[in-house]
Every structure is written in structure tokens, then in C-alpha cells.
Amino acid sequence: MSEICGELRAPAGARFAIIASRWNPSVVDALIDGAQRAFAAHGVASSAIDLVRVPGAWEIPVAAQRLAVRYAALVALGCVVRGDTRHYEHVADECAHGLMRVALDSGVPVLNGVLAVEQHADAQARAGGAHGNKGEEVALAAIEMASLSSNWGQSQFSAEPASGRVNRVTQK
């Protein structure tokens, strides 16, 4: 059985976009920093990354839809904190649905790093605190998916027997 997976090495010429909301800036800026560090640590030049800022999480899917044709993968970063109204559910759920729709419609990987949390402390724990940095996690997933996507046109997906080559993801 052949195993087909991506590597934590961006394909030559791959470009990435980080789409980040301006809402909850202390959390989102920490997510952006984590994503940028992860990209740099895995050989992605800063010139191959564009940062697109939008007002809030609600606007991220629209930006993703417009940008998908230009990038190997998109990283969506934001933070929605539960409040006293149902607004939280609308924004968080529809943002996630919109991002998945963009990914499925375009075929471009769209990684969801939009935090949906109960309180600000939960967000801080996931933006470089006790639970790591979600920005870093989704940037790594973006690199892996861009690598996998670059393999999709190769013969290992045809009806012909594959070369037996197995790509494995390794993290340092």
C-alpha cells in the first residue's frame, strides 16, 4: 500500500497568505507571530508570505475566497470570545463554514486558526500560552498541505503502480 502525505517543506515557489482579523489584537498578533516563526523555521521566506488584515472573523472567508487563486495555502487567524448574546455562535460557526467552503470550492488548503473560546484567558493559552500557539500549528499544516497538493499531479495518484516512494512528515 502506498502512503501519500505532505512534508514540512514548502514546494518551490509556493506563496502563503495569512488572513488575520484586527479584532482582539493582542491574541491575534501573537497568533500571527507564531505562524511567521513556523514558516521561517521551515524555510519559507518572509517574501513568500503576505499578511492580509480584515476587521473581524466574519470577514475572513470573503478575503480567503478572493485570495485562494494566488496562494499554495491560506492561514486564517482570529479570535471570537463568547459574550452575552448568540453573536458568538453566528460568527464562529459561519467563519468556519465559510473557510471550509472556500477550501472545497477552490481546492486550495485553507487552515482554520480562528479561536472560538469561552473567555480571553482561553485565547491567551492558545496564543503562545499553556496550550501552545495555534498560529504555529496552522502554519505547519499549511506547509504540509501545500507539499501534499504539489504531489497530487504526480504519477503516484494514477492507476499505474507508484514508485513506492513514501513521504513522511517529520517535525523537529
Side-chain angles (χ1 to χ4, degrees):
M1 171 172 64
S2 295
E3 178 183 22
I4 302 166
C5 57
E7 299 175 316
L8 284 176
R9 184 177 48 227
R15 295 190 53 76
F16 299 88
I18 299 171
I19 306 167
S21 75
R22 288 193 304 270
W23 199 258
N24 293 312
S26 64
V27 171
V28 177
D29 289 348
L31 296 172
I32 293 167
D33 289 344
Q36 290 174 324
R37 282 193 310 272
F39 279 128
H42 289 84
V44 179
S46 61
S47 60
I49 306 165
D50 291 322
L51 174 61
V52 178
R53 296 304 290 252
V54 296
W58 185 260
E59 292 80 19
I60 293 173
V62 171
Q65 184 179 42
R66 296 291 302 266
L67 295 170
V69 297
R70 298 184 210 160
Y71 296 93
L74 305 175
V75 170
L77 301 175
C79 179
V80 183
V81 180
R82 184 178 298 279
D84 295 330
T85 67
R86 285 184 24 94
H87 184 72
Y88 164 87
E89 283 88 358
H90 294 303
V91 173
D93 292 349
E94 294 308 319
C95 178
H97 291 140
L99 293 174
M100 181 56 71
R101 183 175 141 205
V102 171
L104 293 173
D105 289 352
S106 70
V108 173
V110 180
L111 292 299
N112 186 354
V114 178
L115 303 177
V117 297
E118 295 296 319
Q119 47 194 308
H120 283 279
D122 298 330
Q124 292 167 339
R126 288 164 179 77
H131 294 291
N133 188 305
K134 190 67 168 177
E136 178 182 349
E137 292 173 17
V138 296
L140 293 174
I143 295 168
E144 183 178 345
M145 288 301 295
S147 170
L148 177 61
S149 295
S150 74
N151 291 333
W152 286 346
Q154 296 178 4
S155 64
Q156 61 197 24
F157 286 95
S158 70
E160 299 295 318
S163 66
R165 179 173 169 244
V166 176
N167 292 331
R168 297 206 186 277
V169 175
T170 57
Q171 291 183 313
K172 294 181 183 178

